[in-house]
């Protein structure tokens, strides 16, 4: 069971969170098309040793809207507010959440240990973006299932979606989303999460080719990836290994980009995090 709380970020936006366990503080940052609900198993696996704070990033659930001037600066401010509120010095981020953790660590000495799972740090256009215009058109037309398929095929994060034709994928996806339209407790319905990819891809574009910026990070960094993830995540991790002053790499067998989530392999990820954060 978790406790609920919130903090007000620098621009006045409320950032709500779920909190588990007791001990040294850890903040877990989810990626796009996700919310705090997707880190429940990971948080519970760490709760015996740590006070684990899992926010709904802005634009989702317990938190306020993205805002008119949304960008990486707002996300950094949100994480800084969470760190100040909780006293945490350890941060874990998945995907776009990893980008936020990375950027925040440059300017936030409070972060002593930073764990990153497959940040989509684009290096010379390594992260695919050709699918974005179609995705945004489909969202504008209210075709949420089609937009979700465009994301999954475009980012190549799942082998099934890479190979199966769109006309086969969209109808069952549409049916599945119909059963996910009502919120259950604090959880955010999946159709409400699909549009968050647009804002997160804004972060990817904003941080493209910024690899050299991270040479000044003082925190100890753990770089995590799954053996079944697309190659462009490996390229990001390799580049970070080359510039970060203190980093360690771990590749977790049989996991893909969803590894830390409830649908992936949170127990395996928690094992690496527990050792690193201790």
């Amino acid at each position: 069971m978790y406790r609920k709380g919130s903090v007000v970020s620098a621009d006045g936006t409320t950032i709500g969170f779920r909190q588990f366990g007791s001990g040294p503080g850890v903040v877990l940052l989810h990626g796009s098309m996700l919310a705090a609900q997707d880190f429940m198993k990971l948080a519970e696996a760490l709760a015996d040793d740590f006070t684990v704070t899992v926010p709904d990033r802005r634009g989702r659930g317990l938190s306020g809207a993205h805002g008119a001037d949304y960008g990486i600066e707002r996300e950094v401010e949100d994480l800084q507010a969470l760190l100040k509120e909780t006293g945490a010095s350890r941060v874990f981020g998945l995907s776009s959440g990893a980008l936020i953790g990375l950027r925040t660590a440059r300017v936030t000495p409070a972060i002593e240990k930073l764990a990153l799972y497959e940040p989509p740090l684009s290096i010379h256009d390594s992260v695919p973006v050709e699918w974005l215009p179609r995705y945004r058109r489909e969202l504008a037309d209210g075709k949420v299932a089609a937009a979700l398929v465009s994301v999954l095929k475009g980012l190549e994060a799942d082998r099934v979606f890479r190979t199966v034709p769109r006309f086969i994928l969209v109808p069952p996806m549409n049916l599945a989303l119909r059963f996910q339209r009502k919120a259950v407790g604090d959880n955010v319905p999946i159709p409400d999460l699909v549009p968050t990819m647009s804002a997160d891809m804004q972060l990817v574009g904003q941080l493209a080719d910024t690899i050299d910026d991270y040479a000044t990070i003082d925190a100890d960094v753990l770089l995590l990836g799954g053996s079944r993830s697309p190659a462009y995540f490996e390229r990001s991790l390799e580049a970070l290994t080359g510039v970060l002053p203190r980093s360690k790499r771990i590749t977790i067998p049989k996991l893909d980009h969803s590894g830390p989530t409830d649908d992936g392999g949170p127990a395996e990820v928690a094992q690496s995090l527990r050792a690193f954060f201790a």
Side-chain angles (χ1 to χ4, degrees), residues 2 18 183-187:
Y2 57 84
R18 308 180 189 193
V184 179
D186 297 320
N187 290 355

Side-chain angles (χ1 to χ4, degrees), residues 41-83:
K41 292 181 181 178
L42 182 60
E44 289 166 355
L46 296 171
D48 287 344
D49 301 301
F50 304 98
T51 298
V52 185
T53 300
V54 192
D56 282 327
R57 285 176 46 216
R58 61 171 62 205
R60 304 157 173 86
L62 299 173
S63 297
H66 285 101
D69 61 346
Y70 177 76
I72 190 61
E73 295 83 3
R74 301 291 81 76
E75 293 277 11
V76 168
E77 290 167 354
D78 295 349
L79 178 52
Q80 288 174 330
L82 286 162
L83 294 172

Side-chain angles (χ1 to χ4, degrees), residues 169-190:
L169 292 170
V170 172
M173 188 69 74
N174 195 31
L175 185 63
L177 291 183
R178 288 183 184 178
F179 290 98
Q180 297 281 345
R181 292 193 179 278
K182 290 186 178 180
V184 179
D186 297 320
N187 290 355
V188 186
I190 293 176

Side-chain angles (χ1 to χ4, degrees), residues 23-277:
V26 175
V27 176
L28 307 182
L29 292 178
H30 61 75
S32 71
M33 298 198 304
L34 302 173
Q37 67 211 41
D38 295 288
F39 273 173
M40 293 301 92
K41 292 181 181 178
L42 182 60
E44 289 166 355
L46 296 171
D48 287 344
D49 301 301
F50 304 98
T51 298
V52 185
T53 300
V54 192
D56 282 327
R57 285 176 46 216
R58 61 171 62 205
R60 304 157 173 86
L62 299 173
S63 297
H66 285 101
D69 61 346
Y70 177 76
I72 190 61
E73 295 83 3
R74 301 291 81 76
E75 293 277 11
V76 168
E77 290 167 354
D78 295 349
L79 178 52
Q80 288 174 330
L82 286 162
L83 294 172
K84 183 177 180 180
E85 174 72 16
T86 63
S89 61
R90 300 158 175 82
V91 174
F92 168 74
L94 162 64
S95 196
S96 51
L99 290 180
I100 296 163
L102 190 63
R103 205 69 186 173
T104 306
R106 292 177 64 247
V107 294
T108 312
I111 298 178
E112 297 174 0
K113 294 193 175 187
L114 176 66
L116 308 174
Y117 192 100
E118 297 185 345
L121 190 61
S122 191
I123 301 166
H124 303 309
D125 301 319
S126 58
V127 176
V129 296
E130 297 81 5
W131 52 274
L132 264 173
R134 179 172 189 162
Y135 156 79
R136 287 173 172 153
R137 285 196 305 270
E138 289 164 339
L139 274 186
D141 292 339
K143 299 176 180 178
V144 179
L148 178 54
V149 169
S150 291
V151 172
L152 296 173
K153 289 186 75 67
L155 290 177
E156 303 176 352
D158 187 295
R159 292 182 180 182
V160 173
F161 288 97
R162 295 179 216 173
T163 56
V164 178
R166 291 183 60 91
F167 73 88
I168 294 176
L169 292 170
V170 172
M173 188 69 74
N174 195 31
L175 185 63
L177 291 183
R178 288 183 184 178
F179 290 98
Q180 297 281 345
R181 292 193 179 278
K182 290 186 178 180
V184 179
D186 297 320
N187 290 355
V188 186
I190 293 176
D192 292 349
L193 292 173
V194 176
T196 66
M197 177 59 77
S198 185
D200 279 22
M201 288 305 295
Q202 181 180 334
L203 301 183
V204 172
Q206 192 175 353
L207 298 183
D209 297 320
T210 59
I211 185 66
D212 292 336
D213 291 355
Y214 310 113
T216 59
I217 289 179
D218 288 331
D220 293 323
V221 183
L222 177 64
L223 299 170
L224 296 168
S227 65
R228 295 181 176 177
S229 296
Y232 61 87
F233 290 119
E234 173 71 14
R235 186 172 179 184
S236 297
L237 293 170
E238 284 183 359
L240 286 169
T241 301
V243 300
L244 290 166
R246 294 192 305 278
S247 68
K248 177 183 177 181
R249 279 283 307 277
I250 295 178
T251 299
I252 305 177
K254 300 181 180 180
L255 293 191
D256 59 16
H257 192 55
S258 65
T261 71
D262 287 2
D263 294 329
E268 291 89 336
V269 176
Q271 184 176 0
S272 294
L273 292 181
R274 191 179 297 107
F276 175 65
F277 287 144

